[in-house]
PDB file of all heavy atoms in Angstrom:
ATOM      1  N   HIS A 589      84.826 123.331   3.792  1.00  0.00           N
ATOM      2  CA  HIS A 589      84.495 123.624   5.189  1.00  0.00           C
ATOM      3  C   HIS A 589      84.786 124.964   5.872  1.00  0.00           C
ATOM      4  O   HIS A 589      83.997 125.502   6.597  1.00  0.00           O
ATOM      5  CB  HIS A 589      85.049 122.482   6.007  1.00  0.00           C
ATOM      6  CG  HIS A 589      84.908 122.473   7.581  1.00  0.00           C
ATOM      7  ND1 HIS A 589      83.657 122.349   8.174  1.00  0.00           N
ATOM      8  CD2 HIS A 589      85.675 122.925   8.552  1.00  0.00           C
ATOM      9  CE1 HIS A 589      83.747 122.535   9.416  1.00  0.00           C
ATOM     10  NE2 HIS A 589      85.146 122.916   9.658  1.00  0.00           N
ATOM     11  N   ARG A 590      85.991 125.403   5.449  1.00  0.00           N
ATOM     12  CA  ARG A 590      86.386 126.699   5.913  1.00  0.00           C
ATOM     13  C   ARG A 590      85.342 127.785   5.379  1.00  0.00           C
ATOM     14  O   ARG A 590      85.162 128.668   6.129  1.00  0.00           O
ATOM     15  CB  ARG A 590      87.846 127.042   5.403  1.00  0.00           C
ATOM     16  CG  ARG A 590      88.952 126.150   5.919  1.00  0.00           C
ATOM     17  CD  ARG A 590      88.949 126.102   7.492  1.00  0.00           C
ATOM     18  NE  ARG A 590      89.232 127.473   7.962  1.00  0.00           N
ATOM     19  CZ  ARG A 590      89.204 127.789   9.284  1.00  0.00           C
ATOM     20  NH1 ARG A 590      88.808 126.891  10.218  1.00  0.00           N
ATOM     21  NH2 ARG A 590      89.609 128.971   9.592  1.00  0.00           N
ATOM     22  N   LEU A 591      84.915 127.451   4.135  1.00  0.00           N
ATOM     23  CA  LEU A 591      83.988 128.498   3.626  1.00  0.00           C
ATOM     24  C   LEU A 591      82.582 128.475   4.434  1.00  0.00           C
ATOM     25  O   LEU A 591      81.992 129.454   4.709  1.00  0.00           O
ATOM     26  CB  LEU A 591      83.837 128.220   2.162  1.00  0.00           C
ATOM     27  CG  LEU A 591      82.665 129.055   1.356  1.00  0.00           C
ATOM     28  CD1 LEU A 591      83.150 130.405   1.323  1.00  0.00           C
ATOM     29  CD2 LEU A 591      82.493 128.429   0.036  1.00  0.00           C
ATOM     30  N   ARG A 592      82.244 127.096   4.797  1.00  0.00           N
ATOM     31  CA  ARG A 592      80.932 126.994   5.446  1.00  0.00           C
ATOM     32  C   ARG A 592      81.185 127.520   6.864  1.00  0.00           C
ATOM     33  O   ARG A 592      80.074 128.100   7.325  1.00  0.00           O
ATOM     34  CB  ARG A 592      80.683 125.467   5.481  1.00  0.00           C
ATOM     35  CG  ARG A 592      79.293 125.086   6.221  1.00  0.00           C
ATOM     36  CD  ARG A 592      78.219 125.536   5.287  1.00  0.00           C
ATOM     37  NE  ARG A 592      76.898 125.190   5.809  1.00  0.00           N
ATOM     38  CZ  ARG A 592      76.033 125.981   6.500  1.00  0.00           C
ATOM     39  NH1 ARG A 592      76.521 127.191   6.831  1.00  0.00           N
ATOM     40  NH2 ARG A 592      75.059 125.456   7.005  1.00  0.00           N
ATOM     41  N   ALA A 593      82.275 127.500   7.544  1.00  0.00           N
ATOM     42  CA  ALA A 593      82.386 128.018   8.792  1.00  0.00           C
ATOM     43  C   ALA A 593      82.612 129.559   8.786  1.00  0.00           C
ATOM     44  O   ALA A 593      82.464 130.094   9.861  1.00  0.00           O
ATOM     45  CB  ALA A 593      83.524 127.326   9.547  1.00  0.00           C
ATOM     46  N   GLY A 594      82.882 130.054   7.661  1.00  0.00           N
ATOM     47  CA  GLY A 594      83.144 131.467   7.582  1.00  0.00           C
ATOM     48  C   GLY A 594      81.946 132.331   7.028  1.00  0.00           C
ATOM     49  O   GLY A 594      80.956 132.486   7.767  1.00  0.00           O
ATOM     50  N   PRO A 595      82.005 132.576   5.661  1.00  0.00           N
ATOM     51  CA  PRO A 595      80.982 133.581   5.156  1.00  0.00           C
ATOM     52  C   PRO A 595      79.529 132.823   5.101  1.00  0.00           C
ATOM     53  O   PRO A 595      78.595 133.541   5.122  1.00  0.00           O
ATOM     54  CB  PRO A 595      81.507 133.723   3.592  1.00  0.00           C
ATOM     55  CG  PRO A 595      82.916 133.418   3.755  1.00  0.00           C
ATOM     56  CD  PRO A 595      83.147 132.410   4.747  1.00  0.00           C
ATOM     57  N   LEU A 596      79.465 131.485   5.063  1.00  0.00           N
ATOM     58  CA  LEU A 596      78.212 130.856   5.122  1.00  0.00           C
ATOM     59  C   LEU A 596      77.799 130.261   6.389  1.00  0.00           C
ATOM     60  O   LEU A 596      76.782 129.412   6.424  1.00  0.00           O
ATOM     61  CB  LEU A 596      78.340 129.496   4.046  1.00  0.00           C
ATOM     62  CG  LEU A 596      78.840 129.753   2.653  1.00  0.00           C
ATOM     63  CD1 LEU A 596      78.795 128.579   1.813  1.00  0.00           C
ATOM     64  CD2 LEU A 596      78.008 130.963   1.954  1.00  0.00           C
ATOM     65  N   ALA A 597      78.389 130.791   7.434  1.00  0.00           N
ATOM     66  CA  ALA A 597      78.081 130.252   8.771  1.00  0.00           C
ATOM     67  C   ALA A 597      76.489 130.499   9.129  1.00  0.00           C
ATOM     68  O   ALA A 597      75.942 129.663   9.850  1.00  0.00           O
ATOM     69  CB  ALA A 597      78.949 130.770   9.869  1.00  0.00           C
ATOM     70  N   GLY A 598      76.061 131.653   8.848  1.00  0.00           N
ATOM     71  CA  GLY A 598      74.675 131.965   9.201  1.00  0.00           C
ATOM     72  C   GLY A 598      73.612 131.547   8.351  1.00  0.00           C
ATOM     73  O   GLY A 598      72.353 131.805   8.592  1.00  0.00           O
ATOM     74  N   TRP A 599      73.875 130.865   7.289  1.00  0.00           N
ATOM     75  CA  TRP A 599      72.951 130.369   6.360  1.00  0.00           C
ATOM     76  C   TRP A 599      72.080 129.116   6.908  1.00  0.00           C
ATOM     77  O   TRP A 599      72.553 128.496   7.873  1.00  0.00           O
ATOM     78  CB  TRP A 599      73.513 129.930   4.914  1.00  0.00           C
ATOM     79  CG  TRP A 599      74.118 131.079   4.210  1.00  0.00           C
ATOM     80  CD1 TRP A 599      74.671 132.207   4.632  1.00  0.00           C
ATOM     81  CD2 TRP A 599      74.306 131.113   2.792  1.00  0.00           C
ATOM     82  NE1 TRP A 599      75.006 133.081   3.738  1.00  0.00           N
ATOM     83  CE2 TRP A 599      74.900 132.445   2.431  1.00  0.00           C
ATOM     84  CE3 TRP A 599      73.980 130.328   1.782  1.00  0.00           C
ATOM     85  CZ2 TRP A 599      75.099 132.752   1.296  1.00  0.00           C
ATOM     86  CZ3 TRP A 599      74.262 130.654   0.453  1.00  0.00           C
ATOM     87  CH2 TRP A 599      74.812 131.879   0.262  1.00  0.00           C
ATOM     88  N   ALA A 600      70.854 129.039   6.368  1.00  0.00           N
ATOM     89  CA  ALA A 600      70.011 127.851   6.771  1.00  0.00           C
ATOM     90  C   ALA A 600      70.766 126.569   6.312  1.00  0.00           C
ATOM     91  O   ALA A 600      71.619 126.488   5.467  1.00  0.00           O
ATOM     92  CB  ALA A 600      68.712 127.941   6.112  1.00  0.00           C
TER      93      ALA A 600
END
Side-chain angles (χ1 to χ4, degrees):
H589 173 71
R590 299 299 300 172
L591 178 65
R592 183 71 174 96
L596 305 181
W599 289 30

